[in-house]
Amino acid sequence: MPASFGRYVRRRREALRQQDSAYSVRQLAQRIGVEPSYLSKVERDEEAPPSEEKIVRLAGELGEDPDVLLAMAGKVSSDLKRIILARPELFSTLIRQLKDLPDRAVSRVVREVRDGKW
Amino acid sequence: MPASFGRYVRRRREALRQQDSAYSVRQLAQRIGVEPSYLSKVERDEEAPPSEEKIVRLAGELGEDPDVLLAMAGKVSSDLKRIILARPELFSTLIRQLKDLPDRAVSRVVREVRDGKW
DNA sequence: TGGAGTGTGTAGTATACACTACACAGCATG
DNA sequence: CATGCTGTGTAGTGTATACTACACACTCCA
């Protein structure tokens, strides 16, 4: 099973808290715009992960990649969705083709596209 | 604006209905597993599109690409989601890179990956 | 002319999502 | 010893999702 969202957030927050008292549940909750008790429950996986917007803000505060944090919450960023929805046949085919390729191969595609004259 | 989900389904169903009386609201609804009145409202865009499962069955009945029909409903197939969620950094980067490339270029990537020795 | 099939209107429901509001106990420190 | 901060428990809320159940009017045709 993948590391749970809440557990992961709690670890990150507590790590930052060592250096910076601004990372209490209360203060962090305030900065991302939720109630402390809610964040507390989320961190203990007693509540489901919050909305995309809050997760993105959380990622910002924790210095994490929003896409990765969203993934831990089982969500795909809505901007990625929009890209796929704009050309569903193309992207569906491509993504399914890449499904079983190793990371190295996918990375290579990423690089080729970035550098390339496609 | 994109063709609405309901309108599109209705057109498809009515087209098939010309040749085959099995494409009444009632019969089609039964085959996909919903109430006729619900399908009727969906087709008139009075109700939001149904769940992924029903849309996939609908696509099957109408001879449409499930991914395309799902896209019209603003949904990304859950199996695609799972693929992305398994490797969020990689797929997020790739998809964003492909965002502004023309269809031709994306198709080319699709072909290269299909044929290629990646 | 009545029985089957057509689409549709009204009303209601169960579940999930994404939270808030408030209270409370424990610790620390000035 | 009280003030302030820590995390957390309980209860409730508004909105969306994804439908069902039933009834009604109309048309076709045997």
Side-chain angles (χ1 to χ4, degrees):
Chain A
M1 66 191 76
S4 83
F5 179 84
R7 198 189 305 277
Y8 184 82
V9 168
R10 169 138 298 190
R11 290 185 91 83
R12 274 299 286 165
R13 184 180 61 78
E14 281 176 346
L16 293 166
R17 181 118 172 70
Q18 301 300 317
Q19 310 301 324
D20 188 343
S21 69
Y23 286 89
S24 68
V25 169
R26 261 167 230 272
Q27 291 199 47
L28 181 56
Q30 166 137 45
R31 288 203 299 283
I32 69 171
V34 298
E35 289 291 311
S37 63
Y38 178 57
L39 177 57
S40 171
K41 278 188 294 189
V42 168
E43 284 191 352
R44 285 170 294 123
D45 297 304
E46 206 189 293
E47 279 280 347
S51 64
E52 175 174 347
E53 186 213 335
K54 311 294 183 185
I55 292 175
V56 170
R57 293 170 73 158
L58 201 46
E61 290 293 334
L62 299 179
E64 291 289 323
D65 181 339
D67 293 308
V68 171
L69 209 56
L70 283 168
M72 285 186 195
K75 296 178 201 271
V76 172
S77 161
S78 57
D79 77 297
L80 291 180
K81 263 189 220 170
R82 252 177 280 112
I83 296 171
I84 296 168
L85 294 179
R87 294 187 278 180
E89 343 73 19
L90 238 35
F91 279 94
S92 300
T93 307
L94 178 61
I95 293 166
R96 291 207 180 88
Q97 274 179 8
L98 296 172
K99 177 184 176 200
D100 295 315
L101 296 192
D103 286 7
R104 302 182 64 77
V106 181
S107 292
R108 184 166 163 193
V109 177
V110 170
R111 277 197 310 279
E112 300 263 350
V113 171
R114 169 165 44 76
D115 304 339
K117 52 287 141 209
W118 295 91
Chain B
M1 65 189 77
S4 83
F5 180 85
R7 200 188 305 276
Y8 184 82
V9 168
R10 170 139 296 190
R11 290 185 91 84
R12 275 300 285 165
R13 185 181 59 78
E14 282 177 346
L16 292 166
R17 181 116 171 68
Q18 302 299 319
Q19 311 301 323
D20 188 342
S21 70
Y23 286 90
S24 68
V25 168
R26 260 166 231 273
Q27 291 199 48
L28 182 55
Q30 165 136 45
R31 288 202 299 281
I32 70 171
V34 297
E35 289 290 312
S37 64
Y38 178 56
L39 177 57
S40 171
K41 277 189 295 189
V42 168
E43 285 191 352
R44 284 170 294 122
D45 297 305
E46 206 188 295
E47 278 281 347
S51 65
E52 175 174 347
E53 186 214 335
K54 311 294 183 185
I55 292 175
V56 170
R57 294 170 73 161
L58 202 45
E61 290 293 334
L62 299 178
E64 292 289 322
D65 181 338
D67 292 308
V68 171
L69 209 56
L70 282 169
M72 286 188 195
K75 295 178 201 272
V76 172
S77 160
S78 57
D79 78 296
L80 291 181
K81 264 190 219 169
R82 255 179 278 111
I83 296 172
I84 296 168
L85 295 179
R87 293 186 279 180
E89 343 72 18
L90 238 36
F91 279 95
S92 299
T93 308
L94 178 60
I95 293 166
R96 292 207 180 88
Q97 275 179 9
L98 295 172
K99 177 185 177 200
D100 295 316
L101 295 192
D103 286 7
R104 302 182 64 78
V106 181
S107 293
R108 184 166 161 192
V109 177
V110 170
R111 278 197 309 279
E112 300 263 349
V113 171
R114 170 166 45 76
D115 304 338
K117 53 284 139 209
W118 296 90

